[in-house]
Amino acid sequence: MASSQLKALRLLPTRSPSDLEQGTVVFDQVSKRVSLGGSRTLTVLDDLSLTIEAGSKIALFAASVETSRAFLNCLAGHEMVNSGDLLVGGSSSWLIGSRMPLMPVLTGRANAEFLVSVYGVYEDDEREVDFIRKLCGLGSSFDEPLEKYTSGMKDRLKLALSLAFQFDVYPVMRWDGWNCRADVPFMNQVRRLVDRRLEGRTLVAEASNSQNFALDYCNEGIVLKDGAIIYRGSLDDCAVLAKEAQAARKERSLSRHLRQHSDVEEDLQGTMDDLLEAPIFDGPQAPRPRQTVRQPAREVG
């Protein structure tokens, strides 16, 4: 497999997304750290420079889910980078496959109306709300609170909401239901709409959790390791490198885990040695003095 090493070059200074073609994404010396709990952090992007041309369809391979999610969250605008510039020409979708800003106490219609007020492009909001209602096919349940929905009903509403709006950039962590290959009329309709939505648009899809989706739509991949892109090229080559990176990460994690247990075992061994070296009394032990508990005197009425 021929490796493609990418150099982190300083890009030409671009200070406004309006300078970019719609759908173009520029990472200019971007660094991003995520918390792993407590004081532990993970550097998922380390001085990263990358240009994604408009209309590209890229599968994202990484050694950890935390890395993929942080990359896509930054692209979607859910999280801020720690340093550098991340510029997106045009509009970017929310991270598809993440928790959408849905409110369980509101009805499906009310949630749809809220998102239309934020992302809608038509003057007639009812046009997009009606599209969402028809696509999800929930009938009268569309006017019931989400807290009464089953998981399947919620998935249908999320799919309809994801397809209701046109964006220039689509970051995808997971596309629920895409791995189902059954001849379901609803999913066939969804696939036709996805084809139309992604035509000429930029797509960056996580390749581990949405493997079938990424293979269906992406024509190249990138591999993220230790905060840097180590390869950009064919999906097959990316998959091989990603598996190697994941295996190396698991080995490092196991080694760290074993070292921690080794330290604990050494401490326990020292404690056991101290106990075993303590003197043993074979003779009768003196009885412990009996403790007398005094009760308060009761008052006589």
Side-chain angles (χ1 to χ4, degrees):
M1 178 181 63
S3 176
S4 174
Q5 297 293 333
L6 301 181
K7 297 181 180 180
L9 299 177
R10 178 70 180 177
L11 302 171
L12 293 177
T14 306
R15 294 296 174 228
S16 172
S18 61
D19 297 334
L20 301 176
E21 179 184 357
Q22 287 188 333
T24 299
V25 178
V26 174
F27 289 78
D28 189 2
Q29 294 186 322
V30 170
S31 293
K32 172 67 178 176
R33 296 182 299 275
V34 297
S35 174
L36 297 180
S39 60
R40 296 175 57 209
T41 60
L42 174 67
T43 299
V44 292
L45 302 177
D46 187 9
D47 200 29
L48 175 69
S49 291
L50 170 70
T51 298
I52 300 176
E53 301 294 341
S56 298
K57 304 291 187 294
I58 294 179
L60 174 63
F61 295 83
S64 67
V65 175
E66 294 87 355
T67 298
S68 298
R69 188 178 299 278
F71 183 97
L72 294 172
N73 269 330
C74 291
L75 183 57
H78 296 339
E79 297 182 13
M80 300 296 291
V81 301
N82 293 109
S83 62
D85 296 319
L86 172 53
L87 304 175
V88 178
S91 59
S92 178
S93 168
W94 61 81
L95 179 54
I96 297 176
S98 65
R99 289 187 175 183
M100 295 180 63
L102 301 179
M103 290 165 277
V105 296
L106 298 183
T107 65
R109 181 184 297 275
N111 275 283
E113 289 174 345
F114 170 73
L115 289 178
V116 166
S117 69
V118 176
Y119 297 105
V121 296
Y122 298 105
E123 293 183 1
D124 182 9
D125 290 349
E126 283 301 316
R127 175 178 177 179
E128 287 171 308
V129 173
D130 192 53
F131 170 85
I132 296 169
R133 179 186 63 80
K134 290 179 180 178
L135 179 58
C136 65
L138 295 175
S140 59
S141 297
F142 189 63
D143 290 300
E144 293 183 359
L146 262 63
E147 56 192 5
K148 295 184 178 181
Y149 283 23
T150 65
S151 59
M153 294 166 67
K154 291 178 182 177
D155 286 344
R156 290 172 75 97
L157 178 62
K158 289 178 182 178
L159 275 172
L161 291 170
S162 299
L163 294 168
F165 311 104
Q166 180 68 72
F167 298 99
D168 299 298
V169 179
Y170 285 87
V172 178
M173 188 69 191
R174 181 184 65 256
W175 205 300
D176 295 319
W178 196 265
N179 292 340
C180 175
R181 297 297 182 175
D183 187 16
V184 180
F186 174 73
M187 286 308 300
N188 290 336
Q189 185 178 11
V190 166
R191 289 189 175 93
R192 288 196 298 270
L193 286 170
V194 171
D195 289 342
R196 293 176 58 184
R197 280 291 185 241
L198 294 181
E199 185 177 358
R201 307 293 170 171
T202 303
L203 168 69
V204 183
E206 208 282 327
S208 298
N209 292 340
S210 302
Q211 190 67 28
N212 286 340
F213 182 83
L215 292 177
D216 285 345
Y217 283 99
C218 298
N219 48 32
E220 68 172 326
I222 57 176
V223 182
L224 267 173
K225 181 183 178 183
D226 298 330
I229 295 177
I230 62 171
Y231 181 81
R232 181 172 183 173
S234 73
L235 298 180
D236 292 338
D237 290 349
C238 286
V240 172
L241 285 173
K243 287 182 179 179
E244 293 176 355
Q246 291 167 1
R249 183 175 184 271
K250 289 181 179 179
E251 186 176 349
R252 290 197 301 269
S253 177
L254 178 59
S255 177
R256 183 172 61 252
H257 184 71
L258 291 175
R259 288 197 305 271
Q260 292 172 348
H261 276 274
S262 176
D263 295 340
V264 173
E265 288 177 358
E266 290 178 1
D267 293 340
L268 288 175
Q269 185 63 43
T271 302
M272 291 298 295
D273 291 342
D274 292 340
L275 291 174
L276 291 173
E277 293 174 0
I280 298 177
F281 297 96
D282 295 329
Q285 296 184 5
R288 294 183 179 179
R290 179 178 298 177
Q291 295 181 353
T292 303
V293 179
R294 296 182 179 275
Q295 299 290 340
R298 295 184 180 179
E299 297 182 359
V300 179

